[in-house]
Amino acid sequence: MNRQKTTLPAPEPVCHRRLLLRGAGLLAASGVVPAWAQTASQLASRSISVAQIVDFSQAQQDVSKDFLIGSRAAWADINLRGGLHGRRVEHLVLETDGTAASLGRALDAARDNPSCVVLSGSVGDRVASQIVTLSRQGGLNFAHAAPWLQNSSQEIGEKTFPIFAARQEQIAYALKSASVMNMRELGVIYGSAQDFDTYHAELDRIAVNLQIRLQTFRGGDDLRQLGQKMTPATPAVLLFIGGTPELAELAQGLQKQSRQRYVIALADVNLQTLRQLDMVRGTPVIATQPVPMANTSLPITRSYREIMARLFDEQPTSLSLAGFIAARYTYEVLAGVDGALTRPSVLAAFQQRTSLDIGGFRISFNAQRRSSTYVTQSMMAVDGRLIG
């Protein structure tokens, strides 16, 4: 049975309506965090804490920083509208550098904070996957809500609640789009040997089901050179499996090609970062995303755009919209808890896996404990404009 979203009260007046962000790490590099994302010793007695673990390693930061800003906007607005049943929600941002040791310290900080009742919106995919594994092994006593979990093959335990379409659904969407356009052959470029080992079997299976032939290329130390080596026999449409830095390098090589190429990427590629780098010219890039387009008229996207404009000097992006939705989903479940908000009561509420409609973004879990198969696509045109 679907439970409709909770209606938040109207926001209270605020003097400072725009919170400026400085630096790509959202103040993370300097160790400065907003007043509503502080440590346990600074919490008000009537508040509860929601912890968000964020990977700011070089490979993940372009995804993490956008996802985090969306979550911050959501929690800030929730607090301006009265918080959670009159209690302030402290958004506890716990940074990691991609190492197991830093993740361990972040999880310890969450465990040691008596007011922290849930992990929400862990990002990027690597750290989210590590937390899922630790949770399944019994290493966590938290609900792990709405992680940026792109890994489609990982088994989900009883304490993790993914709401976004993973790579399998994104790849299937991209290949189905190609088949609808009567493209019977695609090139597939893996950004690294690890990407190939992880995803090639699943990709080959999907291609067989859709009757699409694949030409496979394994990325290595020099993706720019790989892009330059494409021949007239290479398909014009290339599916890229990897991250933003690798795609930028590949696209520089494709610029040397006389034949027009089109690249289809997945949600871990940040089109806004590619555009800011100004390194990708002449090659259109189409990226899947597991959230609605940010410019749609859905209630959730309208609310997101309004809050981003009111609180932050940041342009709307699909990744920050995902972070925003992750926070709103967490809020909706917390708001439905009967009685005291404790780690066990919050976990029990998430484990009901109730179907929800978050302003037009529908969440409904399947037998594999995953929710969404929702996928859309945006495009960066030849001239760098973002479409969709």
Side-chain angles (χ1 to χ4, degrees):
M1 182 175 180
N2 287 358
R3 177 165 65 82
Q4 297 300 313
K5 71 173 186 176
T6 303
T7 301
L8 290 170
E12 299 174 0
V14 291
C15 296
H16 302 289
R17 297 171 67 85
R18 300 183 73 82
L19 307 176
L20 300 181
L21 304 178
R22 297 179 177 87
L26 302 174
L27 306 180
S30 63
V32 180
V33 292
W36 34 278
Q38 296 295 315
T39 59
S41 63
Q42 299 167 298
L43 298 179
S45 59
R46 296 184 66 244
S47 69
I48 64 168
S49 292
V50 172
Q52 184 168 15
I53 297 179
V54 182
D55 182 357
F56 271 115
S57 65
Q58 184 175 358
Q60 296 289 307
Q61 64 182 350
D62 66 295
V63 170
S64 295
K65 70 180 182 66
D66 275 14
F67 192 94
L68 174 58
I69 188 61
S71 295
R72 280 180 163 168
W75 290 118
D77 182 68
I78 286 167
N79 280 329
L80 290 173
R81 294 172 182 266
L84 188 60
H85 300 315
R87 299 177 66 184
R88 181 178 179 80
V89 180
E90 298 293 339
H91 180 208
L92 183 64
V93 180
L94 302 171
E95 303 163 23
T96 75
D97 60 10
T99 64
S102 67
L103 175 58
R105 289 191 294 270
L107 290 172
D108 286 344
R111 290 190 191 97
D112 294 344
N113 186 334
S115 70
C116 185
V117 296
V118 64
L119 300 180
S120 173
S122 56
V123 61
D125 176 53
R126 184 181 306 162
V127 75
S129 297
Q130 291 170 334
I131 295 172
V132 171
T133 298
L134 290 171
S135 180
R136 287 186 59 246
Q137 294 172 347
L140 291 178
N141 61 342
F142 284 102
H144 181 207
W148 184 247
L149 186 67
Q150 299 295 290
N151 189 332
S152 56
S153 60
Q154 189 166 14
E155 183 179 346
I156 304 300
E158 290 288 346
K159 298 179 182 179
T160 300
F161 309 91
I163 65 171
F164 302 116
R167 282 193 182 93
Q168 176 178 334
E169 289 79 22
Q170 294 174 42
I171 290 170
Y173 184 93
L175 293 187
K176 187 175 182 180
S177 297
S179 67
V180 168
M181 293 184 289
N182 292 320
M183 295 180 186
R184 309 316 307 169
E185 187 172 28
L186 287 176
V188 180
I189 299 177
Y190 295 91
S192 67
Q194 181 179 4
D195 290 326
F196 176 83
D197 292 340
T198 303
Y199 302 114
H200 82 276
E202 183 66 25
L203 188 54
D204 290 347
R205 183 188 65 79
I206 295 171
V208 169
N209 289 341
L210 294 174
Q211 298 182 337
I212 295 177
R213 297 184 303 275
L214 301 178
Q215 282 193 31
T216 300
F217 303 87
R218 302 191 199 190
D221 296 332
D222 195 342
L223 284 163
R224 186 180 297 105
Q225 185 178 28
L226 177 61
Q228 293 172 352
K229 288 183 176 179
M230 297 293 164
T231 70
T234 306
V237 179
L238 305 171
L239 176 62
F240 180 78
I241 310 296
T244 306
E246 293 82 10
L247 178 54
E249 186 178 347
L250 173 70
Q252 286 182 304
L254 292 176
Q255 291 174 7
K256 308 296 184 182
Q257 294 278 313
S258 59
R259 183 183 185 186
Q260 178 70 72
R261 306 286 181 181
Y262 296 83
V263 176
I264 300 174
L266 304 182
D268 259 349
V269 166
N270 190 328
L271 292 184
Q272 286 75 16
T273 299
L274 282 177
R275 184 184 184 191
Q276 291 165 5
L277 290 173
D278 198 28
M279 296 168 63
V280 182
R281 291 285 179 176
T283 302
V285 179
I286 303 166
T288 60
Q289 55 192 46
V291 294
M293 293 183 183
N295 60 357
T296 65
S297 60
L298 288 175
I300 188 63
T301 55
R302 292 201 309 266
S303 174
Y304 158 75
R305 293 194 304 269
E306 184 275 325
I307 291 167
M308 288 290 285
R310 173 162 49 88
L311 296 180
F312 291 101
D313 188 19
E314 292 284 314
Q315 292 295 315
T317 71
S318 60
L319 285 164
S320 63
L321 174 58
F324 184 89
I325 291 174
R328 283 306 309 253
Y329 165 67
T330 304
Y331 166 82
E332 295 291 341
V333 177
L334 292 176
V337 174
D338 294 327
L341 285 169
T342 64
R343 293 175 190 177
S345 69
V346 168
L347 176 59
F350 276 100
Q351 286 177 334
Q352 293 178 22
R353 291 185 169 83
T354 304
S355 295
L356 294 172
D357 184 341
I358 310 294
F361 183 83
R362 299 182 184 278
I363 297 170
S364 181
F365 292 90
N366 60 22
Q368 289 71 46
R369 304 190 181 99
R370 292 179 181 266
S371 173
S372 184
T373 58
Y374 186 99
V375 183
T376 58
Q377 287 181 322
S378 296
M379 177 178 179
M380 188 173 73
V382 174
D383 59 4
R385 289 180 301 114
L386 296 181
I387 303 171

